[in-house]
């Protein structure tokens, strides 16, 4: 059993955090579009960002800030304009956004981090942002997580939030998070955004290492459509307000904190994959028997990202050949005669040999997932074994429906 429990409160569940989300007039829809997360004290900050060569101004800004200073107090996120591929003007807009936020909060601009999401090539509507920043600061609340989660989404159908609590040094420690993402999801860090808060005391070096590993096992293991965004950002704050002993080196307490951080990130990552544009179910792929974890995750992610596999799941077609083909092209060596494939409880391939199975029942299994309860009974499980190695890895994706094409064909029109 996990050494933590789920609690309410999302991003503001950890001690010493406030959040808000408002409508500032950035989105043409008139929906909430400006979010702010604020720590009452300076917090250790870590970040993992897109590896795309075309990056949003907020990504470059945050990288520079975190290289110079491993702490922050605020994260401002606008939705509606990605502020990516916007040249020098976009960079100056980012600088102004940070300065305006700092002034409204009465903190240093070096303590403000930024995130943006929306249409690539569009600058932030600065007039709306300037007038919105004082309003979002005024709206900050210890119960503002839901409002912030609602203000960062674009094509998402649902908000994504989680909070967990454990005990370290006989005191409760909490980690909360919110995320957005539905399309353009194939993270390489991971459009997706995720923000995490924690009230533990942890050194900057350890916190960054923990976040990188958590990202690899969560956001870097999901896919919706194979497209990596220009704005992918995962930012995590740890403000020490739990008053626990400082975690400065690897040990049992550091392992426990990282495991809970990974669990938070995996929950948010799966929620993003499940909310893929037009998706009807979540796909979870587990690969065992590989040489190492990295190889297993590479095979799993290749299967989860296969358009043919995703289309077959949407068509409720238990076509295991597509799974085998995807595993074979993952770039990871394995012996074909060792390959085993299961769809749910249906064993379809064993020792590289096809088996007889109830195709109608397997199809029914896929149909049930499409109407199952959100992140509970709506998951299609694909299990693949490639040998006798110790490597185990997971990846998550979603099926590929007609609606995905419709949504993206009309994205800016």
């Amino acid at each position: 059993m996990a050494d933590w429990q789920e609690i309410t409160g999302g991003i503001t569940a950890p001690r010493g955090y406030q959040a808000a989300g408002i409508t500032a007039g950035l989105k043409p829809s008139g929906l909430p579009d400006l979010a702010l997360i604020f720590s009452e004290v300076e917090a250790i900050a870590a970040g993992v960002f897109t590896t795309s060569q075309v990056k949003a101004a907020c990504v470059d800004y945050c990288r520079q800030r975190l290289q110079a200073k491993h702490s922050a107090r605020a994260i401002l996120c606008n939705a509606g304009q990605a502020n990516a591929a916007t040249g020098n003007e976009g960079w100056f807009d980012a600088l102004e956004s940070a300065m305006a936020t700092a002034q409204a909060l009465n903190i240093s601009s070096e303590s403000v981090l930024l995130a943006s999401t929306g249409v690539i090539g569009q600058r932030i509507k600065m007039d709306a942002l300037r007038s919105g920043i004082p309003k979002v600061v005024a709206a900050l609340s210890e119960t503002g997580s839901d409002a912030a989660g609602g203000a960062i989404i674009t094509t998402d159908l649902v908000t994504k939030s989680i909070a967990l609590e454990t005990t370290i040094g006989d005191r409760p420690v909490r980690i909360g998070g919110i995320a957005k993402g539905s399309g353009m999801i194939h993270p390489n860090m991971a459009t997706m955004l995720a923000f995490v808060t924690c009230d533990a005391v942890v050194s900057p070096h350890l916190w960054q290492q923990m976040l990188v590993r958590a990202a690899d096992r969560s956001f870097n293991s999901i896919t919706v459509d194979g497209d990596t965004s220009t704005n992918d950002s995962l930012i995590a704050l740890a403000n020490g307000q739990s008053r626990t002993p400082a975690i400065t080196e690897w040990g049992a307490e550091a392992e426990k904190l990282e495991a809970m951080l990974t669990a938070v990130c995996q929950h948010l990552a799966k929620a993003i994959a499940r909310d893929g544009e037009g998706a009807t179910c979540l796909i979870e792929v587990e690969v065992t028997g590989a040489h190492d974890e990295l190889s297993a995750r590479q095979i799993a992610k290749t299967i989860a990202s296969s358009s043919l596999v995703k289309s077959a799941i949407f068509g409720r077609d238990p076509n295991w050949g597509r799974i085998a083909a995807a595993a074979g092209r993952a770039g990871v060596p394995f012996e074909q005669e060792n390959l085993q494939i299961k769809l749910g409880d249906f064993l379809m391939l064993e020792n590289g040999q096809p088996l007889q199975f109830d195709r109608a029942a397997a199809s029914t299994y896929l149909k049930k997932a499409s109407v199952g309860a959100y992140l509970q009974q709506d998951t299609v499980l694909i299990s693949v074994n490639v040998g006798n190695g110790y490597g185990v890895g997971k990846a998550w994706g979603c099926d590929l429906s007609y609606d995905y094409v419709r949504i993206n064909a009309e994205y800016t029109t």
Side-chain angles (χ1 to χ4, degrees):
M1 293 181 62
D3 194 16
W4 51 77
Q5 61 181 349
E6 186 171 344
I7 58 175
T8 60
I11 201 81
T12 53
R15 292 164 182 80
Y17 292 97
Q18 300 177 47
I22 66 164
T23 300
L26 298 167
K27 289 180 181 176
S29 65
L31 294 172
D33 49 23
L34 186 62
L36 180 63
I37 301 164
F38 180 63
S39 174
E40 296 171 359
V41 298
E42 197 75 9
I44 298 302
V48 186
F49 303 94
T50 182
T51 58
S52 172
Q53 295 303 301
V54 180
K55 299 179 289 293
C58 56
V59 170
D60 288 331
Y61 171 87
C62 286
R63 279 179 166 158
Q64 289 188 20
R65 282 284 180 262
L66 291 175
Q67 286 174 359
K69 179 183 178 184
H70 303 299
S71 65
R73 288 190 65 183
I75 304 169
L76 180 75
C77 178
N78 73 279
Q81 300 86 44
N83 199 24
T86 50
N88 290 332
E89 292 84 357
W91 173 251
F92 291 127
D93 289 343
L95 293 179
E96 183 182 348
S97 300
M99 292 179 64
T101 303
Q103 183 176 13
L105 290 168
N106 195 28
I107 62 175
S108 167
S109 63
E110 295 180 351
S111 294
V112 177
L113 298 175
L114 302 173
S116 300
T117 183
V119 179
I120 295 171
Q122 291 189 4
R123 291 172 58 189
I124 301 170
K125 296 179 179 178
M126 293 304 294
D127 287 343
L129 188 76
R130 291 184 194 101
S131 62
I133 287 175
K135 297 175 183 176
V136 76
V137 169
L140 283 170
S141 165
E142 293 179 354
T143 58
S145 179
D146 288 346
I152 67 174
I153 62 176
T154 50
T155 59
D156 307 52
L157 296 178
V158 297
T159 56
K160 301 155 183 75
S161 175
I162 184 70
L164 302 177
E165 180 182 87
T166 191
T167 301
I168 295 178
D170 297 323
R171 293 185 65 87
V173 170
R174 298 172 177 177
I175 299 180
I178 58 173
K180 67 85 53 182
S182 185
M184 196 179 281
I185 302 295
H186 191 78
N188 285 310
M189 350 198 349
T191 300
M192 70 142 269
L193 302 174
F195 308 119
V196 174
T197 57
C198 176
D199 53 18
V201 183
V202 58
S203 69
H205 180 65
L206 284 181
W207 190 233
Q208 180 67 40
Q209 287 185 332
M210 289 178 184
L211 191 66
V212 168
R213 283 192 290 266
D216 281 341
R217 291 167 178 162
S218 58
F219 299 110
N220 280 341
S221 295
I222 62 172
T223 183
V224 169
D225 46 25
D227 278 301
T228 298
S229 172
T230 57
N231 291 56
D232 293 331
S233 299
L234 167 61
I235 301 173
L237 304 179
N239 67 6
Q241 292 301 287
S242 63
R243 308 298 183 188
T244 53
I247 301 174
T248 59
E249 59 185 21
W250 291 111
E253 292 181 344
E255 291 176 2
K256 179 187 285 190
L257 187 67
E258 181 176 332
M260 190 164 71
L261 174 63
T262 301
V264 166
C265 290
Q266 285 183 342
H267 175 90
L268 296 173
K270 288 191 285 186
I272 288 173
R274 174 61 184 91
D275 198 27
E277 291 167 340
T280 68
C281 63
L282 177 70
I283 300 173
E284 179 174 299
V285 183
E286 180 177 49
V287 174
T288 58
H291 176 69
D292 52 29
E293 181 185 351
L294 184 63
S295 299
R297 284 208 313 266
Q298 178 62 29
I299 297 172
K301 193 170 181 180
T302 302
I303 294 169
S305 65
S306 166
S307 295
L308 291 177
V309 171
K310 290 156 65 70
S311 298
I313 299 299
F314 175 67
R316 322 308 173 204
D317 179 13
N319 186 349
W320 61 263
R322 292 180 173 180
I323 301 171
R329 66 174 173 83
V332 176
F334 64 86
E335 298 299 325
Q336 180 172 319
E337 56 266 28
N338 292 331
L339 186 62
Q340 179 194 80
I341 296 175
K342 290 179 66 178
L343 178 66
D345 293 329
F346 297 92
L347 183 61
M348 300 174 165
L349 187 75
E350 179 76 36
N351 297 323
Q353 297 295 317
L355 302 177
Q356 295 293 323
F357 65 94
D358 189 335
R359 297 188 65 86
S363 181
T364 298
Y365 166 72
L366 297 176
K367 292 175 183 176
K368 286 182 177 179
S370 68
V371 295
Y374 180 72
L375 291 182
Q376 295 181 41
Q377 288 87 36
D378 61 348
T379 304
V380 171
L381 299 176
I382 297 175
S383 304
V384 176
N385 183 274
V386 295
N388 299 313
Y390 295 102
V392 177
K394 288 185 178 182
W396 296 271
C398 60
D399 57 343
L400 184 61
S401 73
Y402 311 127
D403 280 343
Y404 176 83
V405 175
R406 179 188 58 78
I407 292 167
N408 285 282
E410 302 168 356
Y411 192 71
T412 64
T413 55

